[in-house]
Amino acid sequence: MTNSNIDIDKAGWSFDNTYAKLPEDFLVKQTPIPVKSPEIIILNKDLSKDLGLDFTNIKEENLSQLFSGNLLPTGSESIAQAYAGHQFGHFTMLGDGRAVLMGEHVSKNGDRHDIQFKGSGKTPFSRSGDGRAALGPMLREYIISEAMHELGVPTTRSLAVVKTGENVIREIHLPGAILTRIAASHIRVGTFQYIAATQKEQNLKVLFDYVINRHYPNIKNSKNQALDLLKTIMNVQINLVINWMRIGFIHGVMNTDNVSICGETIDYGPCAFMDTYNPDTIFSSIDQQARYSFSNQPKIIKWNLARFAECIITLIDDNKDKAVEIATEVINSFERIYEEKWLNMMRDKLGLFGEHINDQILITELLKWMDKNKADYTNTFCFLMNEKFSDNEIYNDENFLIWKKRWKDRLELNNNNQEKYLKLMHSVNPIIIPRNHKVEEALTAANNGDLEVMNKLLAVLKKPYESQNSIIDFQSPAPSSDKAYQTFCGT
Ligand code: AMP
Ligand code: MG
């Protein structure tokens, strides 16, 4: 063993690689393809601590070797996972084309985490791709996934980014990078689709049992495990999308391969946060049909869940007709569950306790007003919480004042003091979100070798629900010249 290996082994790894032991249809053994001159750009100290990993005594050059995948710690068994997916509605066999799972690390409290390198070179699943990633998109995933975590949304997280010292060719030459991504697992709806497509019933049962053991052990004693798994996954996905709707997040590429079985937000490609409230907002340049617009997100998750149900239909009942009937009934309950949770989430955003028959109208009227008057989604709730931010003249609008009076009347019905409803509102309405133009500003500076702008942004994003000092600049929506903000999937 080399000295550098001994050095990176000091971090406190505790590997137990269960996925690597699954049948060969599920994966290929794959080591990251070495890179020329890796240089660590950012390491997430808080996340390291959460994982029970300590990198403080490891030399910087060895950290660069580690997080580029050039050197793997003892106990790692790296693999590329097979999966499929409906991409914009079309079924494709995919797999980790530019990612490698380094292993599963079990932290002291028993939580199991996938440690994955993204941008780690070609694999048998790369198709025509180069297996690589560029620095900008990897730092973008780092910033937004960490912001999502601080916003209290289930998400994969980002442990480190290294520059590879090699260029990647997109339309132009860009600095290459590798992101170390942490996830409860990387099992997707698309993983089930892949196994179902191979038509090996015994493998489907292996995956099914694996998911229940790893993520949902409480289902083990169910009378109908498959049906309960469907209901459970529907529930976690509804909760996830409700969180996105709460903070104005648009995922942008909700293909079934980007829907995690454990309910974490995964694959930060063309995602972005909405400034001005408009339910039809899309940012992704490739989403021409607006399939993944803000207001379509619940509909799409339902569609994706129906694809998941199809994969496990044989496990729901031996009688296919009966299985389809029961599964359809579950999928059809989506709207009812979603609507109820959405309404409660919006009540929280407005500080409303209990239920009143006119709540739905009150909420919809506010959204309509925001849409018509191009009000900022985040800042409108900040205004209602008496938070300061620049440029709030729009809230002198007569129609808004009429609405506000009705809202105040509804608040009175609760008999709660201001302190109590503001506390509720502050727990769900962010003051700070990663505004698109601020993220772009940080990435432009980072691409030019200046990490200070990004570090300042990350520091502000750490406390999204707090009134911090000197944050006006982070609260403003993009200047109007930026209105046609677009994100690109060529990440
Ligand atoms: P994504 O759009 O990141 O969800 O990726 C969809 C599929 O394309 C996955 O199978 C990826 O592994 C693959 N992919 C994306 N970019 C590349 C690349 N540069 N090289 C190889 N495969 C890629
Ligand atoms: Mg993906």
Side-chain angles (χ1 to χ4, degrees):
M1 195 184 288
T2 62
N3 283 338
S4 36
N5 257 102
I6 295 169
D7 203 24
I8 63 169
D9 281 347
K10 287 190 301 206
W13 307 101
S14 171
F15 286 110
D16 176 31
N17 308 317
T18 55
Y19 206 90
K21 296 184 178 61
L22 292 180
E24 59 179 14
D25 286 298
F26 287 71
L27 57 111
V28 291
K29 307 255 179 232
Q30 176 73 54
T31 46
I33 309 297
V35 296
K36 223 197 281 170
S37 42
E39 181 197 334
I40 188 145
I41 297 292
I42 188 162
L43 173 61
N44 191 335
K45 297 206 173 69
D46 289 348
L47 177 56
S48 310
K49 223 182 263 166
D50 292 352
L51 295 170
L53 292 171
D54 183 2
F55 298 105
T56 46
N57 295 317
I58 300 178
K59 285 197 214 105
E60 183 160 326
E61 64 192 79
N62 288 335
L63 289 177
S64 301
Q65 294 293 334
L66 166 65
F67 290 113
S68 63
N70 277 6
L71 271 183
L72 294 174
T74 308
S76 147
E77 294 170 84
S78 61
I79 58 168
Q81 293 174 306
Y83 56 86
H86 271 96
Q87 301 195 298
F88 294 90
H90 304 285
F91 186 75
T92 320
M93 296 301 249
L94 299 163
D96 286 332
R98 57 159 169 179
V100 156
L101 180 64
M102 186 240 262
E104 293 158 43
H105 166 76
V106 183
S107 49
K108 292 233 161 53
N109 61 5
D111 287 346
R112 180 178 298 272
H113 309 272
D114 271 8
I115 303 185
Q116 193 205 56
F117 296 123
K118 184 168 175 180
S120 52
K122 280 191 188 165
T123 78
F125 303 114
S126 295
R127 297 174 291 158
S128 57
D130 61 359
R132 293 296 183 193
L135 180 64
M138 293 305 98
L139 288 177
R140 193 166 189 278
E141 171 152 351
Y142 187 107
I143 296 168
I144 299 185
S145 66
E146 285 307 299
M148 291 286 273
H149 170 74
E150 303 297 347
L151 284 159
V153 183
T155 177
T156 62
R157 296 193 62 188
S158 299
L159 183 60
V161 174
V162 293
K163 258 165 91 165
T164 58
E166 298 171 6
N167 277 341
V168 293
I169 306 167
R170 295 298 177 253
E171 261 130 40
I172 48 170
H173 286 252
L174 295 167
I178 297 171
L179 169 83
T180 302
R181 177 159 76 178
I182 308 296
S185 84
H186 284 84
I187 304 168
R188 308 143 191 269
V189 166
T191 314
F192 276 86
Q193 290 184 292
Y194 183 91
I195 296 298
T198 62
Q199 297 194 320
K200 293 185 188 167
E201 194 65 21
Q202 73 280 15
N203 276 346
L204 180 63
K205 188 72 173 81
V206 168
L207 179 60
F208 178 79
D209 288 341
Y210 182 88
V211 163
I212 287 184
N213 272 321
R214 180 162 174 180
H215 293 300
Y216 304 109
N218 55 324
I219 292 178
K220 264 191 221 161
N221 300 323
S222 290
K223 266 211 280 207
N224 189 332
Q225 291 188 14
L227 194 64
D228 281 351
L229 184 65
L230 175 60
K231 285 182 189 163
T232 304
I233 290 177
M234 182 157 101
N235 207 33
V236 296
Q237 286 300 333
I238 287 178
N239 289 344
L240 184 63
V241 174
I242 295 275
N243 266 304
W244 294 354
M245 305 310 274
R246 173 172 65 83
I247 58 175
F249 176 78
I250 300 167
H251 183 285
V253 60
M254 292 169 70
N255 296 331
T256 53
D257 50 303
N258 293 336
V259 177
S260 155
I261 288 296
C262 61
E264 292 178 338
T265 312
I266 189 168
D267 261 1
Y268 291 87
C271 65
F273 280 74
M274 177 171 69
D275 286 336
T276 302
Y277 178 77
N278 174 353
D280 300 329
T281 307
I282 49 155
F283 291 109
S284 171
S285 59
I286 58 166
D287 193 0
Q288 307 273 335
Q289 317 284 324
R291 180 179 170 93
Y292 300 138
S293 69
F294 182 68
S295 62
N296 259 1
Q297 297 189 122
K299 280 181 227 149
I300 290 292
I301 272 295
K302 181 186 171 189
W303 191 88
N304 289 342
L305 287 163
R307 305 290 76 75
F308 174 67
E310 285 163 5
C311 296
I312 59 165
I313 208 80
T314 53
L315 301 175
I316 291 179
D317 200 289
D318 291 338
N319 177 328
K320 189 158 181 230
D321 290 341
K322 192 171 167 208
V324 170
E325 191 186 313
I326 321 175
T328 307
E329 206 177 300
V330 173
I331 298 292
N332 285 346
S333 66
F334 181 98
E335 278 87 1
R336 184 182 48 77
I337 302 171
Y338 177 84
E339 288 301 328
E340 193 181 324
K341 289 196 177 195
W342 180 84
L343 195 56
N344 281 331
M345 175 275 285
M346 292 304 291
R347 281 193 181 105
D348 291 349
K349 279 179 83 67
L350 289 173
L352 306 176
F353 291 85
E355 294 175 10
H356 187 276
I357 188 154
N358 290 337
D359 286 351
Q360 173 115 33
I361 298 174
L362 186 73
I363 292 162
T364 320
E365 294 284 301
L366 175 64
L367 294 175
K368 268 198 215 145
W369 178 86
M370 278 195 241
D371 188 10
K372 192 160 168 225
N373 293 277
K374 299 191 169 32
D376 185 86
Y377 186 59
T378 304
N379 286 348
T380 298
F381 293 96
C382 286
F383 182 80
L384 296 174
M385 299 191 300
N386 310 319
E387 280 299 315
K388 282 202 202 84
F389 56 93
S390 62
D391 194 20
N392 56 15
E393 273 158 38
I394 187 175
Y395 302 104
N396 295 327
D397 177 72
E398 194 186 340
N399 289 327
F400 181 76
L401 295 174
I402 294 170
W403 177 87
K404 197 170 157 212
K405 165 85 177 55
R406 282 168 48 212
W407 171 61
K408 288 270 178 191
D409 290 346
R410 168 63 176 88
L411 282 172
E412 302 255 310
L413 291 180
N414 287 143
N415 265 335
N416 285 318
N417 56 24
Q418 195 186 35
E419 196 186 331
K420 198 161 167 206
Y421 75 73
L422 280 181
K423 193 171 165 208
L424 175 61
M425 292 176 78
H426 270 284
S427 70
V428 292
N429 293 320
I431 295 168
I432 291 289
I433 52 165
R435 300 259 177 198
N436 304 323
H437 62 295
K438 297 307 282 180
V439 174
E440 288 307 307
E441 205 177 274
L443 297 181
T444 304
N447 261 323
N448 294 326
D450 168 10
L451 299 175
E452 228 167 273
V453 186
M454 179 177 71
N455 287 330
K456 173 80 184 94
L457 175 63
L458 285 168
V460 173
L461 290 169
K462 274 227 158 262
K463 298 174 191 156
Y465 298 103
E466 283 177 36
S467 323
Q468 306 172 61
N469 288 328
S470 326
I471 52 163
I472 291 277
D473 191 31
F474 294 89
Q475 290 177 282
S476 306
S480 49
S481 57
D482 229 51
K483 276 293 177 262
Y485 182 74
Q486 269 205 330
T487 54
F488 298 92
C489 218
T491 53

